[in-house]
Amino acid sequence: MKRFIIILIGLFTASVFGQHTITLQECYELAIKNHPLAQQTALLETQSKLDAAVISTAKLPQINLDAQATYQSDVIEVPIPNSTIEALNKDQYRATLSVNQLIYNGGITKAALQLKSAELKTKQKQVEVHLYQLKQQINQLYFSVLLAQESELLLNSKQSLIQAKLHEVRSGIQYGLILPSSDNVLQAELLKIDQQFQELRSNKSVLVETLSQLIKKSLTGSTLFKKPLLETQLKTNLTRPELEWFQFRKEEIKNSEKLIASQNAPKLLGFATGGYGNPGLNMLDNSFQTFYTVGIKLSWNVFDWNSNKKQQQSLAINNEIIESEAKNFILNTSIELNKYDYEIGKIEGFIVSDLEIITLRKEVLKSADSQLKNGVITSSAYVTELTNLYEDENNLIQHKTQLQLAKANYNVIKGH
């Protein structure tokens, strides 16, 4: 006997620990990790590095190779009688190699790199915002599965109770204590429970499959969904990714302002050109020659018709737009949190009432059970009281699940 009990305990332990389980937090992490949008974070970083490399080439020497051959209808001649200076050839040839080196451009390159870095942060945070919005969708699916899971257990309990009662009724009919055909009501109720099982399992399968596709992880009807322990902490600061997104957008504008401000700064270039051609730099020497020039060049856009100022004003307006969007987001989020705060309080009140109702229903069912055994009431009356208790217990499960869902949504809206 002891050996048999040990075997049973071993089988039970293996089944429990071998069962695949999943938590709400795991669903969050898997959805964010495996969603197609998640790939954009790395792609945006790669793209930004390429763009930054292109911008940085402004610091490197710029090398140009030019070659040309021309034929002119006329050339310069020296109007001196009996001069030995030959006229230039009408066909002329030149090949040059030029090197330009940026010495100073008012910090445009640095400002452009900083702007590119700020744009990357903004875009990556925007991806995070989109992914964060998946959480409420996951909440709805996860807690719907939890509700189906709990309802199935409750329905199982009701089925077991009716099966046991059916055995008692049949014994009572056999000994003439209960009216014949009283078991038909219980058998009909069992058939109805089978239908409820089918519907419940079908709905649960759809929910599990949908969640499985969303998080890109294989889930089955036997997967155990763990109940999360959720608490709401009111009056805490928002930590939503949208707030950082607004801040990054404002930083992007600041970097754009720096870039625009540096565009009108003086630019200093060094240059060198070497070449070979006919004629060379000496226009009086009608032969192929090598030549070179070196120098420095200063360029300064003194007046831009207030273009720079107008661009700065446009950016200032964008900054105000972002400020208004942030305030609107905080307002709407606060309204949503207040709504869920009242919802949580309402459901908690329902749960207290549910517990009281269930206590009373159990007393009524206990009395009905005794009356059925003594033949005072019919099986139909007993099933009615049992169904009333089941419905009230099911209401309790629904309210508990709704409470957990409301808390989960509250935490997601708050940014936790």
Side-chain angles (χ1 to χ4, degrees):
M1 183 66 181
K2 289 182 179 179
R3 184 179 178 185
F4 177 71
I5 293 173
I6 292 172
I7 292 172
L8 283 178
I9 294 173
L11 291 172
F12 174 77
T13 304
S15 65
V16 170
F17 286 97
Q19 187 176 22
H20 176 242
T21 61
I22 194 165
T23 65
L24 180 61
Q25 186 60 37
E26 287 174 347
C27 289
Y28 288 158
E29 293 170 359
L30 288 168
I32 292 173
K33 176 183 176 183
N34 298 323
H35 197 275
L37 283 177
Q39 300 175 7
Q40 288 189 10
T41 301
L43 291 173
L44 288 169
E45 186 169 357
T46 302
Q47 184 185 49
S48 180
K49 286 180 180 179
L50 292 172
D51 292 341
V54 172
I55 294 171
S56 297
T57 57
K59 300 177 182 179
L60 302 176
Q62 308 298 311
I63 302 174
N64 296 307
L65 177 63
D66 295 304
Q68 68 176 30
T70 62
Y71 183 85
Q72 301 178 189
S73 61
D74 202 1
V75 294
I76 298 174
E77 294 182 2
V78 179
I80 302 175
N82 302 319
S83 173
T84 59
I85 301 174
E86 298 180 2
L88 294 176
N89 295 329
K90 291 185 177 181
D91 56 322
Q92 299 184 2
Y93 307 91
R94 171 171 290 208
T96 59
L97 181 67
S98 301
V99 179
N100 294 285
Q101 175 62 57
L102 177 66
I103 299 173
Y104 176 75
N105 66 351
I108 289 179
T109 304
K110 181 181 178 181
L113 289 172
Q114 289 176 340
L115 176 59
K116 188 58 61 177
S117 177
E119 287 175 349
L120 173 62
K121 289 181 180 179
T122 302
K123 291 176 180 177
Q124 287 183 329
K125 185 57 66 173
Q126 189 173 18
V127 172
E128 185 181 335
V129 167
H130 290 318
L131 291 173
Y132 188 83
Q133 291 169 356
L134 291 171
K135 286 189 173 183
Q136 282 194 312
Q137 186 179 356
I138 291 171
N139 285 348
Q140 194 63 47
L141 289 168
Y142 190 92
F143 286 100
S144 294
V145 174
L146 267 184
L147 178 59
Q149 189 172 275
E150 293 297 313
S151 297
E152 192 173 355
L153 290 174
L154 183 60
L155 197 58
N156 244 325
S157 176
K158 181 182 179 183
Q159 184 185 50
S160 298
L161 188 58
I162 291 180
Q163 285 172 342
K165 190 55 59 181
L166 179 60
H167 179 72
E168 291 179 9
V169 168
R170 283 175 175 170
S171 297
I173 293 173
Q174 184 179 356
Y175 292 104
L177 299 175
I178 298 177
L179 293 173
S181 74
S182 294
D183 58 339
N184 291 342
V185 175
L186 296 174
Q187 284 181 315
E189 190 65 22
L190 286 174
L191 292 173
K192 189 185 294 184
I193 288 175
D194 287 336
Q195 291 178 339
Q196 292 172 343
F197 267 125
Q198 291 176 16
E199 183 178 4
L200 195 59
R201 287 165 182 167
S202 175
N203 292 339
K204 182 182 175 183
S205 296
V206 173
L207 292 167
V208 170
E209 179 60 27
T210 304
L211 183 59
S212 177
Q213 291 180 5
L214 188 60
I215 67 175
K216 296 294 187 291
K217 182 178 176 64
S218 178
L219 302 173
T220 65
S222 61
T223 302
L224 179 62
F225 288 73
K226 290 188 175 181
K227 296 180 185 177
L229 297 175
L230 299 170
E231 296 296 334
T232 56
Q233 297 179 359
L234 307 181
K235 299 179 182 178
T236 56
N237 294 329
L238 292 176
T239 56
R240 289 282 292 272
E242 287 88 342
L243 297 177
E244 287 185 283
W245 180 54
F246 291 132
Q247 187 60 39
F248 285 159
R249 288 169 64 189
K250 288 193 282 187
E251 289 177 8
E252 187 178 330
I253 288 176
K254 287 181 181 178
N255 283 282
S256 295
E257 290 173 345
K258 290 179 182 178
L259 179 60
I260 292 172
S262 63
Q263 286 177 347
N264 286 344
K267 298 174 182 61
L268 189 63
L269 293 170
F271 64 89
T273 301
Y276 182 73
N278 182 3
L281 296 182
N282 183 359
M283 301 295 292
L284 300 180
D285 187 349
N286 192 19
S287 64
F288 281 92
Q289 309 166 35
T290 57
F291 58 88
Y292 72 90
T293 58
V294 294
I296 193 168
K297 178 182 178 181
L298 178 67
S299 174
W300 189 4
N301 184 10
V302 180
F303 186 68
D304 66 351
W305 303 97
N306 286 328
S307 173
N308 192 296
K309 182 179 179 181
K310 290 173 182 177
Q311 290 182 70
Q312 297 279 9
Q313 289 173 344
S314 176
L315 289 176
I317 292 172
N318 279 342
N319 196 65
E320 290 180 11
I321 290 172
I322 294 171
E323 284 283 357
S324 66
E325 288 178 358
K327 290 177 181 178
N328 182 61
F329 173 77
I330 292 172
L331 175 62
N332 290 336
T333 303
S334 298
I335 292 171
E336 257 193 301
L337 287 174
N338 286 334
K339 182 186 75 174
Y340 275 104
D341 186 20
Y342 284 116
E343 181 74 10
I344 288 168
K346 181 185 73 174
I347 297 172
E348 286 176 340
F350 286 162
I351 290 173
V352 172
S353 299
D354 288 336
L355 292 171
E356 294 176 356
I357 292 170
I358 288 170
T359 300
L360 295 172
R361 289 291 188 194
K362 284 182 178 179
E363 290 297 323
V364 173
L365 183 63
K366 183 178 179 181
S367 175
D369 181 40
S370 176
Q371 290 175 342
L372 178 62
K373 288 178 181 177
N374 295 318
V376 177
I377 62 172
T378 63
S379 298
S380 297
Y382 174 81
V383 168
T384 298
E385 295 303 332
L386 178 61
T387 301
N388 288 337
L389 175 61
Y390 167 77
E391 289 177 353
D392 290 329
E393 289 180 331
N394 200 43
N395 284 338
L396 176 61
I397 290 174
Q398 288 182 4
H399 288 148
K400 284 184 175 180
T401 306
Q402 287 171 2
L403 178 62
Q404 291 295 298
L405 174 59
K407 287 183 176 181
N409 284 336
Y410 182 94
N411 287 336
V412 168
I413 293 169
K414 196 168 55 177
H416 290 267

